[in-house]
């Protein structure tokens, strides 16, 4: 991988030389955590280089947006965490562009920084933010932005395949220990900000039989460890515990899971590598890469990605408070979405399960609801597909598990195949993917998707 990193850095240097020719640049990025951190990395780098920029966040890059950009005739556009799938449109509309992305390329562009072009896999070896970080290092002394690169790849779930960051992501992590470090610990979400019982209650991946979704059972479990968890009427967080207490809970949890039939694979995932931002205050979302990425995703889901970007750029006052409010609102919406799924049920076919939210769940969060429902109300042996209405068709969000991936599931490939047959567009990653399907094609889509995934899982 050292050679791959060297080759990417060499091409990034050529891109950086092109960037330095301009005084004002149009930036375009995706609205998820990987896109927001990518935007912050390139924006911070341009600021330090004395180059002006305009920022545009988009939910999805398509021909219409490329055309609108071309109509504005910017001197240079830098696409981050998107663009590789729209290279033909970029070329056809004559955009002078640098594309810094990690999704599979379709077409060619002279200034195109993408790991797939250098033999690396953008699903787990490096993210959009990591790729943008490589570009940033060639624009100036920007190695302190490595923490944002790691937050972005964690938000993109790049650790899922191996249970930790590997390859180019690992190189970025280990080369910058002063800003970001790895620590093996319990893998449940919320170590910085949630009471310990809430960490257990909301654990969805892995799902903990008897504890996930059951607050009383979680409190009883913790009481059974003999540890005191409430102090001065404030429930203690994971970071409030000493190492001995953490070890006792982890050991008790593993024993509990073994007694309650959890698979050895999922038990192994209860302890994993986490990533700590050294310069951030303990007890805040920004201290832990997983919580940070969740905060950023919340801003993007509600079309406020610029607020997330401001947090990444260092705003710990107004932008941070607005981001936290969006996160709280996001959690309320997720609860309502989960309740909808529980009340209306999930339909099972032979190789997929699905639900149709219509207009009841915003299409920007239906994928998260699908992922959570997979573990709380669905069959974890089948991938889950969610439909939600949007202006131009049905939004499709698909979620799998690492166990299904190990058996051959590739949701991005499956959605892409079916969309080519029926119209619409689909893509993403093997474990999480999305698509837009024309109205009136939903039943045919799910039937064909079931057949396609059946072929993947059975090898036929």
């Amino acid at each position: 991988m050292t050679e791959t990193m060297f080759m990417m850095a060499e091409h990034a240097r050529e891109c950086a030389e092109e960037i330095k020719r301009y005084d004002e640049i149009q930036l375009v990025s995706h609205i998820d955590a990987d896109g927001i951190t990518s935007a912050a990395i390139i924006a911070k780098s341009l600021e330090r280089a004395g180059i002006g920029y305009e920022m545009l966040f988009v939910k999805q890059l398509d021909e219409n947006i490329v055309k609108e950009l071309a109509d504005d005739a910017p001197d240079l556009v830098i696409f981050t965490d998107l663009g590789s799938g729209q290279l033909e449109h970029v070329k056809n509309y004559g955009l002078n562009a640098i594309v810094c992305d990690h999704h599979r390329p379709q077409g060619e562009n002279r200034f195109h920084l993408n790991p797939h072009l250098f033999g690396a896999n953008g699903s787990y070896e490096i993210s959009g933010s990591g790729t943008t970080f490589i570009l940033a290092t060639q624009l100036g002394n920007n190695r302190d932005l490595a923490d944002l690169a790691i937050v972005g790849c964690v938000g993109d779930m790049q650790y899922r395949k191996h249970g930790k960051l590997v390859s180019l992501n690992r190189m970025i992590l280990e080369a910058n220990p002063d800003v970001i470090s790895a620590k093996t610990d319990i893998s449940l979400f919320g170590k910085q900000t949630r009471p310990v019982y809430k960490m257990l209650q909301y654990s969805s991946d892995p799902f903990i039989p008897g504890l996930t979704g059951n607050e009383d059972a979680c409190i009883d479990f913790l009481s059974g460890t003999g540890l005191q968890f409430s102090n001065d009427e404030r429930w203690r967080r994971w970071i409030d515990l000493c190492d001995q207490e953490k070890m006792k809970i982890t050991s008790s949890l593993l024993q509990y899971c073994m007694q309650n039939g959890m698979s050895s694979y999922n038990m192994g995932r209860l302890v994993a590598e986490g990533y700590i931002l050294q310069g951030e205050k303990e007890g805040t979302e920004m201290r832990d890469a997983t919580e940070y990425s969740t905060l950023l995703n919340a801003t993007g889901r509600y079309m406020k990605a610029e607020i997330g970007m401001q947090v990444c750029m260092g705003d710990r006052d107004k932008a941070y408070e607005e981001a936290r409010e969006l996160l709280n609102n996001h959690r309320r919406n997720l609860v309502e979405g989960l309740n909808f799924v529980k009340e209306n049920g999930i339909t099972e076919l032979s190789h997929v399960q699905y639900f149709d939210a219509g207009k009841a769940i915003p299409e920007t969060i239906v994928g998260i609801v699908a992922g959570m429902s997979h573990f709380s109300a669905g069959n974890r042996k089948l991938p889950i597909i969610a439909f939600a209405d949007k202006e131009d068709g049905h939004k499709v969000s698909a979620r799998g598990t690492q166990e299904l991936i190990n058996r051959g599931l590739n949701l991005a490939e499956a959605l892409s195949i079916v969309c080519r047959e029926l119209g619409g567009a689909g893509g993403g990653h093997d474990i999480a993917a999305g698509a837009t399907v024309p109205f009136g094609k939903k039943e045919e889509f799910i039937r064909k998707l079931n057949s396609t995934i059946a072929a993947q899982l059975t090898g036929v």
Side-chain angles (χ1 to χ4, degrees):
M1 276 300 117
T2 303
E3 184 179 351
T4 302
M5 178 67 86
F6 176 78
M7 290 190 297
M8 287 186 70
E10 277 292 293
H11 188 56
R13 184 176 56 79
E14 296 175 18
C15 295
E17 290 304 314
E18 175 69 8
I19 291 170
K20 290 174 184 176
R21 296 177 53 223
Y22 300 91
D23 297 322
E24 188 76 23
I25 294 172
Q26 176 69 62
L27 304 182
V28 183
S29 199
H30 194 214
I31 62 169
D32 66 1
D34 194 21
I36 293 169
T37 49
S38 298
I41 289 168
I42 191 63
K44 198 83 169 177
S45 302
L46 293 178
E47 283 185 4
R48 290 172 175 176
I51 300 171
Y53 63 87
E54 290 287 330
M55 187 70 234
L56 173 66
F57 284 104
V58 296
K59 188 164 53 176
Q60 186 177 332
L61 186 65
D62 57 23
E63 182 177 1
N64 289 334
I65 293 174
V66 174
K67 181 179 183 302
E68 289 173 10
L69 287 167
D71 289 343
D72 290 338
D75 293 334
L76 178 69
V77 180
I78 301 178
F79 293 101
T80 54
D81 192 36
L82 39 67
S84 290
Q86 301 291 337
L87 295 177
E88 287 303 315
H89 293 319
V90 169
K91 177 182 177 182
N92 292 340
Y93 285 101
L95 268 185
N96 184 28
I98 289 173
V99 178
C100 193
D101 193 8
H102 69 125
H103 298 97
R104 287 197 175 276
Q106 297 176 32
E108 295 181 355
N109 190 69
R110 180 185 173 192
F111 296 110
H112 184 199
L113 188 63
N114 186 306
H116 291 278
L117 301 176
F118 301 92
N121 190 313
S123 291
Y124 66 93
E125 292 188 275
I126 192 167
S127 65
S129 57
T131 306
T132 307
F133 173 73
I134 294 174
L135 176 59
T137 61
Q138 302 304 309
L139 277 168
N141 183 16
N142 295 306
R143 300 207 70 87
D144 60 315
L145 303 179
D147 53 0
L148 292 178
I150 299 303
V151 170
C153 74
V154 167
D156 205 52
M157 299 191 292
Q158 300 233 335
Y159 57 87
R160 290 282 292 272
K161 185 176 177 69
H162 295 282
K164 62 181 181 179
L165 297 180
V166 299
S167 188
L168 300 167
N169 286 322
R170 192 89 203 168
M171 292 179 70
I172 294 172
L173 172 73
E174 293 183 348
N176 300 280
D178 51 332
V179 294
I180 185 84
S181 65
K183 181 180 181 181
T184 300
D185 201 348
I186 197 166
S187 63
L188 305 185
F189 179 85
K191 293 189 285 289
Q192 293 289 324
T193 59
R194 282 182 173 171
V196 179
Y197 77 92
K198 287 290 183 186
M199 286 173 51
L200 294 170
Q201 180 184 351
Y202 290 117
S203 174
S204 61
D205 188 17
F207 180 91
I208 305 175
L211 294 183
T212 297
N214 191 330
E215 180 178 297
D216 291 340
C218 293
I219 293 173
D220 289 344
F221 167 78
L222 292 172
S223 298
T225 65
L227 297 174
Q228 179 66 36
F229 278 90
S230 183
N231 185 20
D232 294 330
E233 298 185 358
R234 183 179 70 83
W235 284 92
R236 294 162 75 194
R237 301 160 299 176
W238 190 255
I239 59 169
D240 298 322
L241 308 181
C242 68
D243 288 343
Q244 187 176 2
E245 290 174 315
K246 292 176 181 177
M247 288 177 62
K248 186 167 186 178
I249 294 169
T250 303
S251 176
S252 298
L253 184 60
L254 289 169
Q255 188 174 5
Y256 170 91
C257 290
M258 184 167 59
Q259 292 169 348
N260 284 271
M262 181 183 274
S263 70
S264 57
Y265 172 77
N266 278 331
M267 280 183 60
R269 295 174 61 223
L270 282 169
V271 176
E273 198 171 71
Y275 307 98
I276 302 297
L277 280 74
Q278 303 287 10
E280 298 292 346
K281 183 179 178 182
E282 193 170 59
T284 67
E285 289 86 353
M286 287 79 67
R287 179 74 173 179
D288 177 274
T290 304
E291 293 194 58
Y292 198 161
S293 67
T294 301
L295 181 77
L296 297 179
N297 272 325
T299 66
R301 300 283 175 188
Y302 300 95
M303 311 311 293
K304 299 283 188 181
E306 67 280 357
I307 291 175
M309 178 176 168
Q310 288 165 19
V311 174
C312 292
M313 301 282 280
D315 188 329
R316 296 293 177 269
D317 296 316
K318 187 171 183 288
Y320 174 45
E321 289 306 316
E322 289 181 6
R324 292 189 70 191
E325 181 54 39
L326 286 166
L327 179 59
N328 290 334
N329 179 58
H330 177 56
R331 286 172 173 158
R332 287 191 292 270
N333 288 341
L334 290 179
V335 170
E336 292 176 5
L338 283 170
N339 289 337
F340 172 88
V341 176
K342 288 176 182 176
E343 290 168 9
N344 291 273
I346 298 172
T347 302
E348 279 195 25
L349 301 180
S350 62
H351 288 83
V352 300
Q353 58 190 323
Y354 71 95
F355 65 89
D356 185 1
K359 291 183 170 61
I361 301 175
E363 54 103 354
T364 54
I365 67 167
V366 74
I368 306 175
V369 174
M372 296 172 75
S373 298
H374 205 185
F375 297 94
S376 63
N379 181 348
R380 294 185 295 281
K381 294 181 180 178
L382 298 175
I384 189 165
I385 314 299
F387 293 96
D389 291 348
K390 51 188 277 190
E391 288 183 6
D392 58 344
H394 299 290
K395 166 70 180 287
V396 182
S397 291
R399 298 291 183 270
T401 65
Q402 192 58 52
E403 287 172 293
L404 286 166
I405 304 305
N406 296 343
R407 288 176 50 202
L409 178 71
N410 187 321
L411 289 171
E413 185 178 279
L415 264 62
S416 181
I417 290 170
V418 178
C419 284
R420 281 200 296 270
E421 292 182 31
L422 298 183
H429 302 299
D430 52 8
I431 199 166
T436 299
V437 179
F439 286 123
K441 299 275 190 178
K442 183 179 61 184
E443 286 76 15
E444 188 179 2
F445 175 86
I446 197 68
R447 190 174 69 251
K448 286 182 176 292
L449 184 64
N450 185 58
S451 298
T452 303
I453 289 176
Q456 289 182 342
L457 295 177
T458 60
V460 177

mmCIF file of all heavy atoms in Angstrom, residues 227 241-249:
data_model
loop_
_atom_site.group_PDB
_atom_site.id
_atom_site.type_symbol
_atom_site.label_atom_id
_atom_site.label_comp_id
_atom_site.label_asym_id
_atom_site.label_seq_id
_atom_site.Cartn_x
_atom_site.Cartn_y
_atom_site.Cartn_z
ATOM 1 N N LEU A 227 -21.613 -2.887 40.108
ATOM 2 C CA LEU A 227 -21.018 -1.559 40.024
ATOM 3 C C LEU A 227 -22.077 -0.482 40.234
ATOM 4 O O LEU A 227 -23.235 -0.640 39.854
ATOM 5 C CB LEU A 227 -20.353 -1.365 38.665
ATOM 6 C CG LEU A 227 -19.188 -2.314 38.374
ATOM 7 C CD1 LEU A 227 -18.713 -2.128 36.948
ATOM 8 C CD2 LEU A 227 -18.037 -2.081 39.335
ATOM 9 N N LEU A 241 -15.953 5.830 33.784
ATOM 10 C CA LEU A 241 -15.557 4.607 34.481
ATOM 11 C C LEU A 241 -14.040 4.438 34.454
ATOM 12 O O LEU A 241 -13.369 4.869 33.522
ATOM 13 C CB LEU A 241 -16.208 3.389 33.827
ATOM 14 C CG LEU A 241 -17.732 3.424 33.632
ATOM 15 C CD1 LEU A 241 -18.193 2.124 32.988
ATOM 16 C CD2 LEU A 241 -18.446 3.674 34.932
ATOM 17 N N CYS A 242 -13.518 3.770 35.472
ATOM 18 C CA CYS A 242 -12.092 3.439 35.469
ATOM 19 C C CYS A 242 -11.882 2.189 34.621
ATOM 20 O O CYS A 242 -12.832 1.472 34.270
ATOM 21 C CB CYS A 242 -11.569 3.224 36.889
ATOM 22 S SG CYS A 242 -12.234 1.742 37.686
ATOM 23 N N ASP A 243 -10.630 1.886 34.290
ATOM 24 C CA ASP A 243 -10.336 0.751 33.416
ATOM 25 C C ASP A 243 -10.832 -0.564 34.001
ATOM 26 O O ASP A 243 -11.322 -1.442 33.271
ATOM 27 C CB ASP A 243 -8.829 0.668 33.152
ATOM 28 C CG ASP A 243 -8.345 1.779 32.239
ATOM 29 O OD1 ASP A 243 -9.193 2.403 31.554
ATOM 30 O OD2 ASP A 243 -7.127 2.034 32.197
ATOM 31 N N GLN A 244 -10.714 -0.713 35.324
ATOM 32 C CA GLN A 244 -11.153 -1.950 35.968
ATOM 33 C C GLN A 244 -12.669 -2.134 35.822
ATOM 34 O O GLN A 244 -13.156 -3.244 35.558
ATOM 35 C CB GLN A 244 -10.765 -1.932 37.447
ATOM 36 C CG GLN A 244 -11.025 -3.253 38.159
ATOM 37 C CD GLN A 244 -10.538 -3.233 39.597
ATOM 38 O OE1 GLN A 244 -10.030 -2.231 40.083
ATOM 39 N NE2 GLN A 244 -10.693 -4.351 40.292
ATOM 40 N N GLU A 245 -13.433 -1.051 35.965
ATOM 41 C CA GLU A 245 -14.882 -1.127 35.795
ATOM 42 C C GLU A 245 -15.250 -1.466 34.357
ATOM 43 O O GLU A 245 -16.157 -2.266 34.103
ATOM 44 C CB GLU A 245 -15.522 0.212 36.203
ATOM 45 C CG GLU A 245 -15.479 0.487 37.695
ATOM 46 C CD GLU A 245 -15.978 1.880 38.039
ATOM 47 O OE1 GLU A 245 -15.584 2.846 37.341
ATOM 48 O OE2 GLU A 245 -16.754 2.007 39.003
ATOM 49 N N LYS A 246 -14.549 -0.863 33.403
ATOM 50 C CA LYS A 246 -14.812 -1.143 31.993
ATOM 51 C C LYS A 246 -14.557 -2.617 31.676
ATOM 52 O O LYS A 246 -15.339 -3.265 30.963
ATOM 53 C CB LYS A 246 -13.934 -0.261 31.101
ATOM 54 C CG LYS A 246 -14.290 1.212 31.147
ATOM 55 C CD LYS A 246 -13.318 2.033 30.309
ATOM 56 C CE LYS A 246 -13.648 3.517 30.356
ATOM 57 N NZ LYS A 246 -12.671 4.326 29.610
ATOM 58 N N MET A 247 -13.461 -3.152 32.223
ATOM 59 C CA MET A 247 -13.131 -4.555 31.981
ATOM 60 C C MET A 247 -14.190 -5.485 32.572
ATOM 61 O O MET A 247 -14.572 -6.487 31.957
ATOM 62 C CB MET A 247 -11.757 -4.881 32.571
ATOM 63 C CG MET A 247 -10.594 -4.278 31.795
ATOM 64 S SD MET A 247 -9.001 -4.608 32.572
ATOM 65 C CE MET A 247 -8.960 -6.388 32.506
ATOM 66 N N LYS A 248 -14.700 -5.124 33.747
ATOM 67 C CA LYS A 248 -15.699 -5.967 34.406
ATOM 68 C C LYS A 248 -17.001 -5.995 33.600
ATOM 69 O O LYS A 248 -17.608 -7.050 33.409
ATOM 70 C CB LYS A 248 -15.971 -5.459 35.822
ATOM 71 C CG LYS A 248 -16.903 -6.371 36.614
ATOM 72 C CD LYS A 248 -16.899 -6.037 38.086
ATOM 73 C CE LYS A 248 -17.724 -7.077 38.862
ATOM 74 N NZ LYS A 248 -17.722 -6.814 40.313
ATOM 75 N N ILE A 249 -17.427 -4.826 33.120
ATOM 76 C CA ILE A 249 -18.658 -4.767 32.322
ATOM 77 C C ILE A 249 -18.486 -5.523 31.011
ATOM 78 O O ILE A 249 -19.353 -6.297 30.598
ATOM 79 C CB ILE A 249 -19.058 -3.314 32.037
ATOM 80 C CG1 ILE A 249 -19.434 -2.607 33.333
ATOM 81 C CG2 ILE A 249 -20.223 -3.248 31.054
ATOM 82 C CD1 ILE A 249 -19.591 -1.118 33.188
#
